[in-house]
Amino acid sequence: MSETHQHEPADIDPEYDHLREGGVDEERLEALLEEYTLGRDDHENAPAFIIRPDDVQAVLTLLRDEAGFDHLSCLTPQEYEDRYESILHLTKYDQRTHEVTLITQLPQSDPVCQSAEPVFRTADWHEREAFDLVGIEYEGHPDPRRILLPETWQGHPLALDYDQQKPQVVQFAEHANPIQPDHHDPESDTMLLNIGPHHPATHGVLHLKTTLDGETVVDVDPDVGYLHRCEEQMCQSGTYRHQIIPYADRWDYTANLPNEWAVARAIEDLADIEVPEYAQILRTMSTELGRMLGHFLALGTFALDVYGDFTAIFQYAFRDREVVQDILEDLTGQRMMFYYFRLGGVAWDLPRPRDEFIEKTRDFLDELPAKVDEYHNLITGNEIFQARTIDTGVLEPDVAKDYGCTGPVARGSGIDYDLRRDDPYGYYEHLDWDVVTRDGCDNHARVLVRMDEVEESAKIVEQCLDLLEEWPEDERTVQSNVPRTLKPDAGTETYRAVEIAKGELGVYIRADGSNSPARFKIRSPCFHNLSALPEMSEGEYVADLIASLGSLDIVLGSVDR
């Protein structure tokens, strides 16, 4: 059964209590930040404040403690002809439509900014990526290593002066012991264990540098970047109208239709494009079917991780996933890289004959409750499964927020946060469905959230089918009138996000007046969720580490981008 969880508001100064209710009051926000503000900028999604690079921690602490901005959603680094910028996108877990943007402008000769990591732990990986790809350094960062590229890489691929034709000679460092001798009893058994990058339990090319004391995990360092494909740079090379959305299918390729919406929403916001109501219903229905694809796969692979059951549970999950895949293939014409979304709508209407498609989809929905019961009998009621998942991989709500966790990972820790409801888009606000949360904070709770969300997605799809079936034929508009060439005004900036199967997928775009973005930044939920793995695993056994990793349901195409 679904559970609801309400956040207790943080203790804040009553003078600023209004910043937590209704829309953000820019005048009061200006008053709060007056001491630190150097100037203002215009962003489509949020008020933007330019601050000094050495005031980052003070401003973040003020916004978090006094105004309730407890979610550092994204950090976007970029380079202009005359400066660098480090942009912080902030919002609230209990008021998602409250957004604020902080901009630090840095000189080209010395791009150094104060680290945000002491205030928000999630800034650790953000800032390492910003240095790695753009070249901004963060003073006070606890671990300023590259994250996607090898340490010996020369240059920064998203810097304006980077020579893409220059060959690289990469040397790999040895795996050093992070535990000093005096940290443990001399008789303790310290072992360095490399898990991955080529191992089925890592769900892709992920390398876990694991240090054990006997059988207990004392340190985990996720080593990512093996699947980095310069997706942001490729999107910056594509045109808004047709060439960017297809890339989104390659990020989280296990449940990729929701990814398309992230790109479409950002560009439509940037270019002020309206989407017809009928097309919004088609988008909502197809996206929820795509969410089911991801959750079925997550369930099957997690069961495989936990007790190696391939013949039953894994194949049961794929049996049901294949039915959804067939439905989406009928709808989109593609089996995996769907590319069903278009700016201003979708590619086309339901396949003909419509009745046959609707009947096929309804048949699947009718059979789903019995199949979910089957999963509970096979999985959640299994004593071995319970022993491996209950009270393992514990992620407390405050820790999850500090790492920017979202999606089932956050909701499995009781955080009632879902962009479909909290920052409404598409047709979600007109439909009857619930946000699923669990208070277990462990591997078991995250599995239950995904299973419950499959049923909520089914409710949404069924209501969409009812609407599509009854919609007047002469009003079935699938796309608005969008110019063949889009050239948003130079300097226009926006950050928009949607709820994909893994959590909050955000896209920041800055336009320069051409038909391609000057900057395209992807905020991956898998990237943030994976960064919390050490918190979930240290002090537990290796087997629990594997279960915790599986419970995150990461996809390396989304982590690395």
Side-chain angles (χ1 to χ4, degrees), residues 293-465:
L293 285 181
H295 286 345
F296 281 133
L297 180 65
L299 185 65
T301 54
F302 185 66
L304 193 61
D305 288 338
V306 170
Y307 47 54
D309 194 331
F310 180 84
T311 56
I313 299 162
F314 185 83
Q315 292 190 327
Y316 274 50
F318 261 77
R319 171 200 65 186
D320 299 331
R321 191 177 194 270
E322 282 295 301
V323 177
V324 180
Q325 198 116 35
D326 289 342
I327 292 169
L328 285 174
E329 184 179 10
D330 291 344
L331 177 64
T332 68
Q334 298 288 338
R335 187 134 186 97
M336 186 172 182
M337 304 303 176
F338 299 108
Y339 189 29
Y340 182 57
F341 278 57
R342 300 291 188 273
L343 296 185
V346 295
W348 43 68
D349 199 353
L350 300 181
R352 296 181 182 277
R354 289 169 62 92
D355 292 345
E356 184 177 309
F357 174 83
I358 292 172
E359 182 182 1
K360 180 178 182 178
T361 308
R362 287 195 193 281
D363 287 345
F364 165 73
L365 298 177
D366 291 342
E367 295 169 1
L368 188 61
K371 292 179 178 179
V372 172
D373 289 342
E374 201 170 46
Y375 287 129
H376 281 292
N377 292 333
L378 284 167
I379 302 175
T380 58
N382 184 294
E383 292 181 4
I384 299 174
F385 190 87
Q386 292 174 0
R388 293 289 310 279
T389 59
I390 294 176
D391 294 332
T392 64
V394 173
L395 184 64
E396 296 294 342
D398 290 344
V399 177
K401 290 181 179 180
D402 201 23
Y403 279 86
C405 296
T406 54
V409 174
R411 292 191 287 274
S413 294
I415 300 173
D416 190 16
Y417 180 77
D418 191 311
L419 274 77
R420 295 172 293 174
R421 178 201 62 195
D422 300 335
D423 184 16
Y425 59 94
Y427 214 72
Y428 289 108
E429 60 185 325
H430 304 293
L431 304 174
D432 178 25
W433 60 283
D434 298 312
V435 174
V436 177
T437 64
R438 292 277 176 171
D439 292 326
C441 305
D442 55 13
N443 292 328
H444 197 72
R446 291 184 277 276
V447 172
L448 294 178
V449 166
R450 293 189 180 95
M451 292 177 69
D452 289 345
E453 285 190 2
V454 167
E455 296 186 272
E456 293 302 319
S457 291
K459 287 166 57 177
I460 294 171
V461 171
E462 189 163 17
Q463 293 171 76
C464 289
L465 288 174

Side-chain angles (χ1 to χ4, degrees), residues 72-198:
L72 176 55
S73 179
C74 186
L75 185 153
T76 300
Q78 59 181 332
E79 184 183 4
Y80 289 78
E81 294 294 338
D82 61 342
R83 69 182 187 278
Y84 288 86
E85 279 188 356
S86 179
I87 304 176
L88 296 161
H89 308 272
L90 287 152
T91 183
K92 305 174 184 179
Y93 276 101
D94 60 357
Q95 287 281 349
R96 179 58 180 79
T97 54
H98 288 201
E99 297 180 84
V100 63
T101 301
L102 302 177
I103 303 169
T104 58
Q105 297 180 339
L106 312 169
Q108 276 198 317
S109 58
D110 189 24
V112 179
C113 181
Q114 188 180 60
S115 173
E117 192 274 341
V119 185
F120 289 102
R121 188 71 181 87
T122 188
D124 179 358
W125 280 25
H126 273 303
E127 291 173 352
R128 286 177 62 189
E129 182 183 351
F131 167 73
D132 198 359
L133 299 185
V134 179
I136 299 175
E137 297 183 18
Y138 290 88
E139 188 175 15
H141 191 283
D143 186 19
R145 294 174 294 149
R146 290 182 181 268
I147 189 168
L148 296 174
L149 300 174
E151 275 295 300
T152 53
W153 195 267
Q154 302 297 307
H156 307 278
L158 290 180
L160 297 182
D161 62 353
Y162 183 74
D163 183 1
Q164 297 185 31
Q165 305 301 318
K166 181 180 178 180
Q168 296 273 352
V169 178
V170 178
Q171 295 179 337
F172 292 94
E174 293 183 6
H175 184 1
N177 183 357
I179 298 181
Q180 301 302 317
D182 60 348
H183 286 189
H184 279 277
D185 186 279
E187 296 181 0
S188 68
D189 183 13
T190 300
M191 176 187 294
L192 303 178
L193 182 65
N194 289 299
I195 303 175
H198 300 293

Side-chain angles (χ1 to χ4, degrees), residues 120-292:
F120 289 102
R121 188 71 181 87
T122 188
D124 179 358
W125 280 25
H126 273 303
E127 291 173 352
R128 286 177 62 189
E129 182 183 351
F131 167 73
D132 198 359
L133 299 185
V134 179
I136 299 175
E137 297 183 18
Y138 290 88
E139 188 175 15
H141 191 283
D143 186 19
R145 294 174 294 149
R146 290 182 181 268
I147 189 168
L148 296 174
L149 300 174
E151 275 295 300
T152 53
W153 195 267
Q154 302 297 307
H156 307 278
L158 290 180
L160 297 182
D161 62 353
Y162 183 74
D163 183 1
Q164 297 185 31
Q165 305 301 318
K166 181 180 178 180
Q168 296 273 352
V169 178
V170 178
Q171 295 179 337
F172 292 94
E174 293 183 6
H175 184 1
N177 183 357
I179 298 181
Q180 301 302 317
D182 60 348
H183 286 189
H184 279 277
D185 186 279
E187 296 181 0
S188 68
D189 183 13
T190 300
M191 176 187 294
L192 303 178
L193 182 65
N194 289 299
I195 303 175
H198 300 293
H199 191 285
T202 59
H203 294 246
V205 279
L206 169 67
H207 176 201
L208 297 179
K209 301 176 184 177
T210 310
T211 307
L212 306 179
D213 179 16
E215 297 181 13
T216 303
V217 175
V218 292
D219 185 76
V220 179
D221 179 15
D223 181 15
V224 301
Y226 292 88
L227 200 57
H228 179 54
R229 296 156 296 159
C230 308
E231 288 282 342
E232 292 178 4
Q233 192 171 41
M234 289 194 289
C235 290
Q236 289 170 197
S237 301
T239 58
Y240 293 109
R241 187 68 175 90
H242 295 296
Q243 295 178 345
I244 298 179
I245 291 179
Y247 285 122
D249 284 320
R250 277 80 180 164
W251 305 339
D252 173 10
Y253 41 75
T254 68
N256 38 17
L257 258 171
N259 305 357
E260 298 182 15
W261 208 334
V263 177
R265 190 180 190 196
I267 297 176
E268 286 162 359
D269 184 49
L270 200 71
D272 195 24
I273 296 171
E274 295 292 330
V275 180
E277 189 175 6
Y278 185 74
Q280 295 283 27
I281 299 171
L282 287 168
R283 283 183 169 189
T284 303
M285 180 195 70
S286 61
T287 294
E288 290 309 308
L289 289 167
R291 192 180 314 278
M292 288 183 182

